Amino acid sequence: INDVLLISEYESALELADKGRVVFADPGLQLMDDPRLLPGSTIDHYFGYGTDLRWVGRTVVRGYNPLLTTAEICTLELTGYDGSFLLMEREGDGRAFGSKDQGVSYSEVATQIALDHGMIPEVQFSPAPSTSFVHSKESTDYQLLAALAAQKRYDFFVEWSQQAKSWKLIWGEPSLDASEQYEFVFDPRGGDGAMLKSIEIDLSLQQLKNGVELYYMDSQTQTWEKVEFEESKGKMKLKNADKVEQELTSAESLLVSLGETAIEVIPGIKFKSAQEANDWAQAWYRSRKRELVICSGTSIGIPSLRAGQVHPIRGIGNLLSGDYILASVNHKWGSSGYSCDFVARKVLEGSE
C-alpha cells in the first residue's frame, strides 16, 4: 500500500473530531476492492522519518472516492474521522435522561452515551446541573454531547486507546497541555535545523469595533450565559437584571468573548454591579488587545504535535513572541516530505 501512497494527512482541532485523509495513486482494481479500505474500516496513521515512525491516531473511513480517468493519474481518496464517527451514526431515539423525581448531571449523560457505544468513559464528574430531558430524534449523540460540552465550556473528544484497544470518550474541563514542549524559533535563513518553516500573523482580534461580549457562569445550571442589554425608553437596560446582578457580583471568573474566540479571565476583584463588570471587561480588552495574536504556520513534521498543546514561538519580535496554544494541527506527508500545518493563539498570562 505504501508504494502507491500519494498523500497522508491527520488533523486534530479543538472542539472538533480528528480527521484523516489518504490518497493513493494508480491504486488498481485489487486495492480498490480491498475490504480494509472500504467505508467502516479503520486506518492507523503513522508519521515520522525513515523507519522511525510514530502512531498519531486512528480514523474510521467515511468517504471512499475513486477518480478514474484516462487524461490524468487515477486516484483513490479515503477520508474519515476518529471514534466520534460512532456517535454521529446514532440519532436520538427519544431516550429520556433522568426524571422529574431524579435528575441527571451532564457528566452522567456523557458516561451513559459512552457505555452505549462500547467506549471507555473518561469523564470528570460534577454534581450540577441536575436535570432531566429527552434526547431529540433530530440530533445525533455527537451533537447532543457537543452542545452540552459547549454550555459548560468542557473539552469533549474521542480517541483510540492503544493500551485498552478501545475508543475512549473524554469529557471534562479543558487544560493547557505543556507535557511535551518544543521551542519554535523562526530563522529567516532557514537551514536544516530550523523547526519553523513559515508563520503568518493575524491581528484581527485587536481591531474589534464593537468591543467584547461578557458571559457569567450560571450557579444553577453551571453554564456560561451572556450578559445582555436591551433598549427601554431610550436607555439601555440589563436583561434579567436581578439574576445577572447577583451572579456577577459574586463571580470569581468571567468569559470574555471576542467574536469566535472566548477567553476565561479571573478579575481578582468583586464587582458592585453588572455595569461595573461589563465596563471592566471592555477595559480588560483595551489593555490586553495588543497581546491578542493568532498565527498560522508550518513546522517540520513532529508526530507528537497535537491541538491543545502549548509551545513557545520565538524570533518574531518581542511583542509577538511568547507561548501559544495550538488550536489545530494537520500532519501532512506528500511529495514535499513530512510537515505540520498549525493554527495557534497566544496565551495570555493570568487569564486562562
Side-chain angles (χ1 to χ4, degrees):
I1 288 180
N2 288 336
D3 292 338
V4 293
L5 184 61
L6 186 65
I7 298 171
S8 179
E9 298 182 359
Y10 188 92
E11 181 178 11
S12 64
L14 297 177
E15 300 181 5
L16 293 173
D18 288 3
K19 297 188 297 184
R21 173 176 176 258
V22 294
V23 179
F24 300 103
D26 285 330
L29 296 179
Q30 183 177 359
L31 185 60
M32 290 174 57
D33 290 336
D34 193 321
R36 294 174 298 175
L37 303 181
L38 296 178
S41 60
T42 58
I43 295 179
D44 285 306
H45 298 261
Y46 288 82
F47 290 87
Y49 301 91
T51 58
D52 184 17
L53 299 177
R54 291 182 59 179
W55 182 83
V56 173
R58 169 176 286 200
T59 55
V60 180
V61 176
R62 292 281 284 158
Y64 177 89
N65 304 104
L67 174 61
L68 305 179
T69 175
T70 58
E72 300 176 357
I73 187 173
C74 297
T75 60
L76 172 61
E77 179 184 51
L78 306 179
T79 55
Y81 298 93
D82 60 23
S84 305
F85 153 81
L86 301 171
L87 303 176
M88 298 173 187
E89 285 289 279
R90 175 173 171 173
E91 294 185 347
D93 51 7
R95 281 175 295 161
F97 291 96
S99 64
K100 293 182 179 180
D101 298 328
Q102 185 175 3
V104 293
S105 68
Y106 289 173
S107 301
E108 290 173 307
V109 173
T111 299
Q112 184 58 57
I113 290 178
L115 295 174
D116 288 346
H117 291 276
M119 298 179 179
I120 300 173
E122 192 169 300
V123 173
Q124 176 183 335
F125 281 90
S126 56
S130 182
T131 185
S132 62
F133 59 92
V134 175
H135 186 1
S136 169
K137 294 182 179 181
E138 285 72 38
S139 65
T140 64
D141 285 348
Y142 183 87
Q143 290 170 323
L144 171 62
L145 289 179
L148 298 183
Q151 289 183 34
K152 290 185 66 64
R153 303 293 300 178
Y154 266 14
D155 274 347
F156 154 57
F157 56 94
V158 176
E159 67 179 15
W160 178 256
S161 170
Q162 287 188 297
Q163 183 177 4
K165 304 299 180 185
S166 176
W167 293 106
K168 288 195 305 183
L169 190 151
I170 315 297
W171 169 279
E173 293 182 356
S175 61
L176 301 182
D177 182 1
S179 58
E180 188 171 6
Q181 279 200 339
Y182 298 93
E183 185 173 50
F184 294 95
V185 180
F186 178 71
D187 185 346
R189 297 169 299 177
D192 295 337
M195 293 183 65
L196 192 57
K197 294 184 175 183
S198 66
I199 187 167
E200 181 177 352
I201 305 299
D202 178 1
L203 301 180
S204 60
L205 291 183
Q206 301 181 7
Q207 304 165 15
L208 298 178
K209 294 182 180 180
N210 298 322
V212 300
E213 294 179 335
L214 184 63
Y215 288 72
Y216 65 90
M217 175 63 72
D218 190 303
S219 58
Q220 294 181 327
T221 64
Q222 291 295 295
T223 58
W224 290 106
E225 302 295 339
K226 183 179 177 181
V227 177
E228 297 184 274
F229 293 86
E230 59 185 350
E231 187 173 348
S232 176
K233 298 180 180 180
K235 297 182 179 180
M236 297 306 294
K237 183 179 179 181
L238 183 66
K239 287 186 177 181
N240 302 319
D242 292 342
K243 168 72 173 178
V244 176
E245 291 280 5
Q246 181 181 356
E247 295 286 4
L248 285 175
T249 53
S250 60
E252 295 184 357
S253 65
L254 301 172
L255 193 70
V256 180
S257 175
L258 308 93
E260 296 181 356
T261 301
I263 302 174
E264 185 175 357
V265 297
I266 302 175
I269 61 173
K270 291 294 184 181
F271 299 109
K272 297 178 181 179
S273 66
Q275 186 62 55
E276 184 182 18
N278 191 63
D279 291 343
W280 180 91
Q282 305 305 324
W284 176 90
Y285 168 69
R286 291 192 297 270
S287 66
R288 284 295 189 86
K289 66 179 182 178
R290 290 180 64 85
E291 302 175 52
L292 297 170
V293 181
I294 296 176
C295 70
S296 57
T298 301
S299 73
I300 62 171
I302 304 174
S304 59
L305 218 58
R306 288 191 65 85
Q309 294 175 343
V310 176
H311 301 280
I313 298 179
R314 314 290 185 204
I316 53 176
N318 293 332
L319 177 64
L320 300 176
S321 295
D323 289 341
Y324 283 75
I325 179 171
L326 300 179
S328 68
V329 177
N330 189 25
H331 297 264
K332 297 174 58 178
W333 180 89
S335 58
S336 300
Y338 174 34
S339 62
C340 290
D341 292 340
F342 64 85
V343 175
R345 177 175 60 80
K346 193 174 184 183
V347 176
L348 303 181
E349 293 186 8
S351 296
E352 47 196 335

